Amino acid sequence: MTRSASILLVDDDYHLAESMALWLREMSHVVVVAGTLDEAKTALKKQTFDLVITDLRLGNDDGFDLITHTRKRFPETSVLVITGYATPNTAIEAVRAGAYDLLTKPLIDEELTLAIDRSIQQRKIASENDALRKQLDRRSGMENILSHDYRMLKIFDVVDSIADARASVLITGENGTGKSMVARAIHTRSARRGGAFIEVACGALPDTLLESELFGHVAGAFTGAVGDRPGKFQLADGGTLFLDEIATATPAMQVKLLRVLQEFQFEPLGGSETHSVDTRVILATNEDLSKAVTSGAFRQDLYYRVNVVNIVIPPLRERVGDIPLLVEHFLREAADASDRNILGFDREAMTVLQSYAWPGNVRQLENVVERAVLLSRNSTLTKDDLPPELTGQMGDVSFAAYSVDSSATATHSFEDVSGKTLRDALEGPERTIILQSLRNHHWNRAATAEALDINRTTLYKKMKRLGLDDPRLQYSSNS
């Protein structure tokens, strides 16, 4: 049965148009009649139509103009052409112009009904495809950023909000937290996704080479510069440039960066011609730039320029609830890559993974999981498949466990503490002890405080400082 559709019927033969409109209305369609090209365009502006049925000859007007206009301005509306002067070439031209189908006069009722049904069905499929495309786009760029942590979910919302803004974005966080992935997600979810995404590690290049890398150079700018070479700012024109380790930039380079971020103009190394670009810049650092500004190591004006939007990625030790999710993802990737049948980590091994401080964050976790998959001889991974720094076992030496109470112990790896304050150095063991005690007492804070011989207020403060105050943590910690 023909479904109801909204139809714009365009024909300069008034009596024929009214007769066809009456028949279409009897078929439960909603029909508006237009006799000229201008009338048709006016009707299209006033309301949305599922289908335009038009003759190719509209008095002094050309029906092809209406097909082109509808295709360009109202792509969701199908066009069905009806003409008494059709040739094979006419049909081809009509389809190329954007018509869905072409029928010849005199019309056969069943043929027209079938054409209308096909048009409605095509429009429905196109609408469903558009909805699916939007759903895919909603997640586009976030596929590998796995988290249930409320702070990470807020970051996802920020990425959505600023994706299309031209303002600079500063991403801060420890090494291995995924700053590059967040930067790429911003690019992928923006209107610049069709442009290039170019990443530059500022700390990996000396100042002169970094200037050439970013701004390009002309022939003869330095020894070995035999020709002109465009820089990353030019290569990322219309796209996104990600500058990692921005805190390592020298004062001279900071001046050059400030100018290009303000004016989007620069001169290549050794050249005098000014280039203008439309490049989105995202910067990242694992250092506290505000402290660098205070010490004079980082320009204050550049700091204010790059810190328009600041995304702070929390370290893995502060979102322990994400570890099972990340482990499962990395385990499947490693198992598929090595063609191994791995079921997963057992309970004891997962407890060790969630108790560790992860100084290398997500990147270190990925390496640990891949190592366990490659070296294990069993389908279920155990504590023995984890590296010594996680279990506290170094060769034949077993490091003493930290005593929590008569029923709870926690192990913590010894790690390099050079350059750390005493408080920072003790943070890892302290977090391990408190987390283990909370688990052993089923997250009863009063009992935990009593076992640790501290008051509850002190426990609450320590939990907040160490990232243990997330209420969802107890439900995803295998306690």
Side-chain angles (χ1 to χ4, degrees), residues 257-297:
L257 284 174
L258 178 60
R259 183 202 170 194
V260 73
L261 292 176
Q262 287 177 332
E263 304 173 7
F264 295 96
Q265 293 183 331
F266 61 90
E267 290 79 37
L269 182 63
S272 57
E273 182 183 355
T274 299
H275 296 279
S276 297
V277 291
D278 175 24
T279 304
R280 171 74 174 281
V281 181
I282 302 176
L283 309 98
T285 180
N286 60 355
E287 298 184 26
D288 187 338
L289 285 187
S290 61
K291 290 183 178 179
V293 171
T294 302
S295 67

Side-chain angles (χ1 to χ4, degrees), residues 374-428:
L374 292 175
L375 298 182
S376 177
R377 296 182 178 180
N378 302 310
S379 59
T380 299
L381 304 178
T382 69
K383 179 180 176 180
D384 294 334
D385 296 310
L386 298 176
E389 62 265 24
L390 268 71
T391 60
Q393 303 295 323
M394 303 293 287
D396 296 327
V397 181
S398 177
F399 293 108
Y402 298 99
S403 176
V404 178
D405 58 21
S406 58
S407 62
T409 59
T411 59
H412 183 77
S413 62
F414 283 82
E415 57 187 74
D416 185 11
V417 296
S418 58
K420 292 186 176 181
T421 64
L422 180 61
R423 174 173 172 169
D424 290 341
L426 293 176
E427 187 175 274

